[in-house]
């Protein structure tokens, strides 16, 4: 998968969202029904320059995710976070 695909899951349709910057080929999964995002590292604490080879692209990826209605996020490394669109907008804006 490269992004833009949608596939069926028990939680409803899921969209594959390309989110490069943290690593080449990185993708996130967005579940619009429950407004759930599976993505990121950490706990949506922001970007880590030492772990993100392309900060500008990573910020663009966060902005793409912030365009979706996200109520909560499951982070690859960090677990469940009750944060979504507003926190993504903060990160994309450099906070």
């Amino acid at each position: 998968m490269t992004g833009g695909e949608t596939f069926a899951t028990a939680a409803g349709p899921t969209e594959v969202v390309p989110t490069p910057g943290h690593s080449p080929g990185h993708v996130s999964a967005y579940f619009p029904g429950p407004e759930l995002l599976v993505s990121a590292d950490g706990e949506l604490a922001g970007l880590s320059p030492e772990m993100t080879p392309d900060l500008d692209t990573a910020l663009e990826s966060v902005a793409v995710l912030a365009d979706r209605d996200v109520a909560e996020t499951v982070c690859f490394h960090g677990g469940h976070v009750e944060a979504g669109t507003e926190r993504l907008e903060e990160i994309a804006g450099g906070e």
Side-chain angles (χ1 to χ4, degrees), residues 16-88:
V16 177
V17 183
T19 50
H22 172 63
S23 63
H26 191 276
V27 297
S28 300
Y30 174 60
F31 299 77
E35 296 183 344
L36 174 69
L37 177 66
V38 178
S39 184
D41 284 335
E43 299 176 348
L44 292 184
L47 301 177
S48 171
E50 58 275 352
M51 300 300 286
T52 307
D54 187 341
L55 283 171
D56 290 337
T57 300
L59 284 171
E60 290 171 9
S61 292
V62 173
V64 167
L65 294 173
D67 284 340
R68 288 154 175 79
D69 293 323
V70 179
E72 53 191 316
T73 305
V74 175
C75 299
F76 294 142
H77 306 288
H80 178 260
V81 180
E82 290 189 24
T85 302
E86 288 183 20
R87 181 63 188 132
L88 292 166

